[in-house]
Amino acid sequence: MSLRVLVVEDDREIRSVMQSALTLEGYAVQTAVTLAEASALLQHSPPDLIVLDLGLPDGEGLDLVRAVRRQSSVPIVVVSARHQEAQKIALLDAGADDYLTKPFSVAELLARLRVALRHRGTALAAAVTTHSLDDLHVDLATRAVLREGQPVHLTPTEFDLLARLVRSAGKVVTHRQLLADVWGPEYTEHTHYLRLYMGQLRAKLERTPAEPRHLLTETGVGYRLATE
Ligand code: CA
């Protein structure tokens, strides 16, 4: 059976491009133009994934994310314009899975959806405990970190930060989420900790720390551990 995607987007052109691209990929696509329409569809036929535009005629995407998260863990990928940065971060912190900034390519959209769906699968089965890409291998169970086959020594905080990204590999994790999960909820404003520790991790794990292959910066939002 096809996976069902609900696209909530009021821009007719973008909506129809997404609809055709997703249908071609084999998804069963439903579309909604307003939050009200989306809410009605969510009650009627819950989708496997939601693509949510931020600027909608009848209200805030944030309310929809909160309402959905009260009842389900269905992946939500937010689509935003560049000037909606602050709103986008609030949605990620409220439980949206990832985001795309307009304009984006169909390839980017499909890649984000694949990652979001993979995480939904692993959340149901077992948590992610290993990560491998190119020269980097991480095993959270044994706390082993290898670069080009050689063990890398990380401090406990460096390891915790890497582990948090491994558990969300491929997805953006906001500054606030990283600070809360690694240092504690009272540290969510201490973004300089993150810059410092991310610098240390990159120095140990990246071949060219200034041009990271693994630990990617999502400007103004957070970080993402590359999976491809
Ligand atoms: Ca819009």
Side-chain angles (χ1 to χ4, degrees):
M1 217 179 76
S2 305
L3 285 167
R4 298 196 303 191
V5 181
L6 171 61
V7 174
V8 189
E9 168 66 78
D10 63 326
D11 183 310
R12 189 152 52 132
E13 203 173 316
I14 298 176
R15 194 172 61 238
S16 101
V17 167
M18 286 204 270
Q19 182 163 24
S20 338
L22 294 172
T23 305
L24 262 176
E25 274 305 291
Y27 294 104
V29 185
Q30 285 186 303
T31 60
V33 177
T34 62
L35 287 177
E37 225 180 298
S39 302
L41 281 171
L42 283 166
Q43 298 301 327
H44 237 252
S45 49
D48 298 299
L49 193 144
I50 300 171
V51 180
L52 175 65
D53 176 37
L54 267 187
L56 290 161
D58 61 340
E60 295 287 323
L62 189 55
D63 297 332
L64 188 76
V65 171
R66 290 198 173 125
V68 168
R69 279 291 168 265
R70 277 196 285 274
Q71 340 182 319
S72 98
S73 60
V74 58
I76 303 172
V77 175
V78 169
V79 174
S80 75
R82 252 171 233 295
H83 64 276
Q84 293 167 318
E85 196 99 313
Q87 281 182 63
K88 174 172 82 187
I89 295 167
L91 265 83
L92 291 167
D93 284 333
D97 291 76
D98 212 333
Y99 74 94
L100 282 160
T101 304
K102 290 176 188 173
F104 53 83
S105 69
V106 164
E108 282 176 280
L109 171 67
L110 296 175
R112 288 283 186 278
L113 299 198
R114 276 196 302 273
V115 169
L117 285 164
R118 190 165 71 228
H119 278 273
R120 184 201 59 149
T122 51
L124 293 174
V128 176
T129 58
T130 60
H131 170 79
S132 280
L133 179 69
D134 298 350
D135 56 341
L136 178 65
H137 299 274
V138 183
D139 186 332
L140 299 185
T142 60
R143 297 181 77 88
V145 180
L146 303 180
R147 200 193 133 203
E148 289 166 359
Q150 298 300 310
V152 179
H153 175 75
L154 299 183
T155 67
T157 303
E158 288 166 359
F159 182 83
D160 290 349
L161 180 56
L162 179 63
R164 178 64 185 80
L165 289 165
V166 165
R167 288 191 198 99
S168 296
K171 296 202 298 186
V172 68
V173 188
T174 66
H175 296 135
R176 177 174 281 270
Q177 288 166 340
L178 287 169
L179 286 160
D181 293 348
V182 176
W183 282 273
E186 63 276 35
Y187 290 90
T188 52
E189 304 303 321
H190 292 52
T191 45
H192 57 286
Y193 284 20
L194 265 183
R195 277 198 298 278
L196 177 69
Y197 278 86
M198 196 55 68
Q200 291 173 194
L201 269 183
R202 282 177 173 153
K204 292 182 180 182
L205 303 180
E206 299 282 359
R207 195 169 298 174
T208 315
E211 291 165 40
R213 163 77 180 98
H214 302 288
L215 299 158
L216 310 180
T217 295
E218 294 284 335
T219 307
V221 178
Y223 295 94
R224 183 191 303 273
L225 182 65
T227 51
E228 50 187 60

